Amino acid sequence: MFDFDMLGLAPALNDALTRAKFDKPTPIQAKAIPLAMEGHDILGLAQTGTGKTLAFGLPLIDHMLAEPGKPAPKTAKALILAPTRELVNQIADSLKNLTHDTRIRVVTVVGGQSINRQINALARGTDILVATPGRLIDLMDRRAVDLGQVRHLILDEADQMLDLGFIHALRKIAPRLGTPRQTMLFSATMPKQMEELSRAYLTDPRKVQVSPPGKAADKITQSVHFLDKAAKPTRLREILSRDTEALTLVFSRTKHGAEKLMKGLVADGYNAASIHGNKSQGQRDRAIKGFREGDIKVLVATDVAARGIDIPGVAYVVNYDLPEVPDSYVHRIGRTARAGREGEAIAFCSAEEVDLLLQIQKLMKIEIPVASGTMPAAVKDPTRGGNRGQRRGGGGRRGPQGNAGAPSGNGAKRRRPRRRKAA
């Protein structure tokens, strides 16, 4: 493996990498950066935690440093779109660390924060704009930003953007961008709709793939506990009590479930917080900051945070509820064993979730080791036309929240799942 200084990056970038103690590129970085620096469109496929931000961020900044002149008012030279506020902030923080001693300006726009403050920030123009699609469209509608000067477009975690329904927003944003431009699309999975997206927005792209879809990081130890749904709270507390100082990320399927679980843990004396779509941006930022700094030991989250948390110190990921989309399991457990560390992923599986577990194991091509209990027979979910986790006719891709809020019991009406709001 070669060093970063062998990639031909600008001296200012090499200095920034040295200060940050980055010496050797990860596989996705080693493959993508040279191609991106040559100006090719990139289709990058890699699991979470493999260093995708630097894979697109370093060549992007290198191009920005080589381009003379400041951005005009209300314009941007490059646009990075990401599905969640947490991921936008994470990307921006990484880029700002690399551009600290340069003229490159990075601005973020996300929902849940003052739009007037964002309008003022954009009034000066920016080199790199990092945004969630929904808030960006709000600013476009207010004529607070002109995207006609954008010559670099990056779509990060593009498959999750599809899951969250951002494809319509992208179709509204893309025609406003400048041409010709370089486009880089990064994703952890490659569903059929992603292939259509790449054909629509990439020109003769170079495909870079460093790990097969559905593969977890090598240093993650996985296990599953088979138990009744009512026994989950007790088992979770047993696990948390084994190592009270460890950072533990607990995933719940629904926003209501996450909040209820967090409050129960706090009432029992655990230092816990929660992040989900019903929390304000300020609440989410404070919870993640406290978790990163170790003031909060247990963070309960929904899938909205599965790809937006980059905290190397996470020791355990607990799937309190199994996700209804198998890919989400991979993204969840990818929050541990980051930056070369080891981590443990623990799953709870009730009878209602057996089919979900089987789908996850099929995707990952493994059988997750059993820590306790025995696999029960699958239970038919009364809110669906089949067992929980099975898709109904049409084969459409389901969102991470699924239909968890539908009533149960005989005679319950089958509701159509509502599209989840953008994070």
Side-chain angles (χ1 to χ4, degrees):
M1 177 65 73
F2 48 83
D3 296 336
F4 275 114
D5 57 13
M6 299 175 66
L7 293 175
L9 296 166
L13 277 177
N14 283 324
D15 291 343
L17 289 167
T18 300
R19 287 195 303 271
K21 298 182 179 179
F22 290 117
D23 53 357
K24 296 184 183 298
T26 65
I28 186 69
Q29 293 163 4
K31 292 184 178 182
I33 290 173
L35 294 171
M37 290 180 65
E38 292 173 1
H40 296 292
D41 283 8
I42 301 293
L43 174 58
L45 299 175
Q47 65 195 44
T48 58
T50 53
K52 292 196 292 281
T53 301
L54 290 190
F56 62 73
L58 287 171
L60 174 62
I61 296 170
D62 190 80
H63 284 144
M64 294 289 101
L65 290 171
E67 294 179 3
K70 294 182 179 180
K74 296 186 179 183
T75 69
K77 294 182 178 181
L79 172 63
I80 301 174
L81 292 176
T84 68
R85 312 169 202 175
E86 285 77 19
L87 188 53
V88 164
N89 292 332
Q90 175 188 314
I91 292 169
D93 288 344
S94 296
L95 298 183
K96 288 176 181 178
N97 287 335
L98 295 172
T99 59
H100 181 70
D101 294 328
T102 72
R103 59 174 173 78
I104 303 301
R105 187 162 184 258
V106 180
V107 171
T108 61
V109 294
V110 297
Q113 294 184 351
S114 169
I115 194 169
N116 290 328
R117 191 174 301 166
Q118 293 171 0
I119 289 173
N120 292 335
L122 288 169
R124 292 171 47 196
T126 184
D127 295 282
I128 302 173
L129 176 59
V130 193
T132 50
R135 176 50 62 93
L136 180 59
I137 288 178
D138 290 342
L139 291 163
M140 290 165 55
D141 291 342
R142 296 185 183 214
R143 298 183 179 179
V145 61
D146 177 2
L147 301 178
Q149 300 303 311
V150 170
R151 291 295 185 268
H152 303 272
L153 171 65
I154 295 164
L155 306 176
D156 193 21
E157 302 291 5
D159 50 349
Q160 192 184 24
M161 280 201 275
L162 291 178
D163 282 343
L164 295 177
F166 285 136
I167 185 64
H168 304 293
L170 182 59
R171 288 171 179 157
K172 187 173 183 179
I173 293 168
R176 304 282 191 93
L177 305 178
T179 55
R181 64 176 177 268
Q182 179 186 38
T183 301
M184 292 186 271
L185 185 155
F186 285 81
S187 176
T189 62
M190 192 66 180
K192 183 177 180 180
Q193 196 175 7
M194 186 64 61
E195 295 177 4
E196 297 171 356
L197 188 71
S198 66
R199 286 196 297 269
Y201 295 104
L202 302 180
T203 302
D204 190 24
R206 300 296 188 267
K207 186 175 181 179
V208 178
Q209 183 171 354
V210 298
S211 61
K215 186 179 184 300
D218 293 334
K219 294 188 177 182
I220 300 177
T221 301
Q222 300 181 62
S223 64
V224 59
H225 293 262
F226 293 108
L227 71 179
D228 292 336
K229 185 176 181 180
K232 287 185 178 184
T234 300
R235 183 57 52 87
L236 176 62
R237 284 155 177 78
E238 290 174 357
I239 291 170
L240 295 177
S241 297
R242 294 174 192 167
D243 189 353
T244 57
E245 292 303 308
L247 297 185
T248 302
L249 183 56
V250 181
F251 279 102
S252 171
R253 189 178 300 121
T254 67
K255 293 178 285 189
H256 173 74
E259 192 68 9
K260 181 179 178 181
L261 179 56
M262 180 274 293
K263 289 180 177 178
L265 290 172
V266 171
D268 287 344
Y270 292 92
N271 195 347
S274 65
I275 56 170
H276 50 71
N278 285 347
K279 294 284 188 178
S280 69
Q281 185 61 45
Q283 290 173 318
R284 288 159 69 166
D285 290 344
R286 286 191 294 274
I288 291 177
K289 182 176 184 291
F291 190 55
R292 176 178 286 110
E293 295 176 353
D295 297 327
I296 292 169
K297 301 300 183 184
V298 183
L299 186 63
V300 186
T302 55
D303 282 305
V304 71
R307 305 193 201 184
I309 298 178
D310 185 7
I311 300 175
V314 175
Y316 301 95
V317 170
V318 178
N319 282 278
Y320 189 85
D321 300 316
L322 290 179
E324 296 198 353
V325 176
D327 289 335
S328 295
Y329 174 85
V330 181
H331 305 319
R332 287 180 177 187
I333 68 174
R335 299 306 98 200
T336 189
R338 298 178 78 82
R341 291 175 170 84
E342 296 182 351
E344 185 172 345
I346 302 167
F348 293 170
C349 182
S350 64
E352 294 85 356
E353 297 171 300
V354 169
D355 285 333
L356 301 181
L357 178 67
L358 295 176
Q359 289 181 36
I360 290 167
Q361 293 184 148
K362 180 179 179 181
L363 171 72
M364 301 182 72
K365 297 181 175 61
I366 64 169
E367 186 171 324
I368 299 174
V370 178
S372 69
T374 56
M375 181 182 290
V379 173
K380 187 174 182 179
D381 183 350
T383 67
R384 303 214 177 125
N387 287 341
R388 175 180 283 277
Q390 292 180 340
R391 295 175 182 171
R392 291 195 294 255
R397 187 177 176 90
R398 299 183 61 81
Q401 297 281 354
N403 197 20
S408 60
N410 295 331
K413 294 181 179 179
R414 286 168 59 181
R415 288 193 212 157
R416 210 172 173 182
R418 293 183 296 176
R419 186 177 295 280
R420 188 168 62 180
K421 292 182 179 179

